[in-house]
Amino acid sequence: MAITRRRMLGGALAAGAGIGTMAALPRAAAAESAAAASPPGDVVGKISVGYQGWFACQGDGSPIDSWWHWSQDKSKPPSPSNTTIKSWPDMSEYSRGFTTAYPNLNGGGPAQLFSSWDQQTVDTHFRWMRENNIDTAALQRFNPFGSEGPTRDGMAQKVRQSAEANGRKFYIMYDVTGWTSMQSQIKEDWTSKMQAHTASSAYARQNGKPVVCIWGFGFNDSGRPFEPAPCKDVVDWFKAQGCYVIGGVPTHWRTGTDDSRAGFSDVYHAFNMISPWMVGRISSAAQSDQFFTSVNTPDKADCDAHGIDYQPCVLPGDLQERHRAHGDFMWRQFYNMVRVGAQGIYISMFDEFNEGNQIAKTATTAAGVPSGSGIWALDEDGTACSSDYYLRLTGDGGRMLKGQIALTAQRPTAPVR
């Protein structure tokens, strides 16, 4: 299994000012500060969600034919002692489930999980995006030159089909983690395989150009050891191919400190859009306020000065770590990112059951999780939440970003319909 971006660099947190210490900007002032380098398109002025699409099960027909991303030992079904996940999906809308080695659900019935390889799974996810006005999905693509390659290639086609059927947009988001031959192979992969998907009516475009994201340049860790020169070469190459290139960059990209290595300023400023990573950096509304002042505001000013669009992350919070505060944590981020003038927002993530930051439909009560698993459901803090709550919350955050509802610090979304 590839090292996930979520598992590294968990520091860089600061307990910031309290929720009530920041005066709200009037909507007009927020709109004025959001004067974009680019006009609205498929990522500017839109909500994008990170889409892993990386779950497989033995017997699902996938080339990888294993419990991919469900188990530590993917040759065996997931169990309490052989698992990679922190949250349990609501399985009620999937046409097929695969029985695990977890005990039965507390409410009865086998503990089953979905396979991303099933077209119906992807169709269901993109239907949820459509129903909740989520605009664009960023399909994660790790090094496709190893054993995972055929499955990842197939997932790109499945996502394309579902996006077309549901009127959603999608784009390829390369994650360079552990990809030692990245500089040459990423170009080969785009030219020989992924570029063909830009012919789809569903492929995201910005400023008339197909969108590509590259996640991982400049991070201060061993999984991404690339020097600035090859990274800059890759960004420039994609731009020369006529692409609009997003950089998934470290939280502290602007200062070149903490999770960012020094010397990458030219790389970061070569991107058309900057999307700094935030998972593991904040876990409360107060910390979101602190980052608004100390990180997001100067980040936005730097992007403005360089003609770069700004697409900060918003996360629902790690459910298993009990960060969510029944949606108040996520809404505070929406509020802060709209009032800072973000050109777009990136949700981390749609289907990240591995790290508990998923917005996809999730078990609502203990009855929907395996007995004795210790996995928290959405009502972990005593507030009942419907399984689609974080999808609906994301839809309302998008409405605020687009000016369809007023800028408000008060969460408008009821946890239960």
Side-chain angles (χ1 to χ4, degrees), residues 284-295:
S284 69
Q287 289 177 337
S288 176
D289 283 349
Q290 188 271 327
F291 265 70
F292 170 83
T293 300
S294 65
V295 176

Side-chain angles (χ1 to χ4, degrees), residues 2-3 5 52 54 140-144 152 175 177 179:
I3 300 170
R5 65 188 70 166
Q52 301 286 21
W54 65 6
Q140 313 297 288
R141 187 167 177 81
F142 288 76
N143 179 1
R152 294 198 182 277
D175 188 316
T177 303
W179 194 350

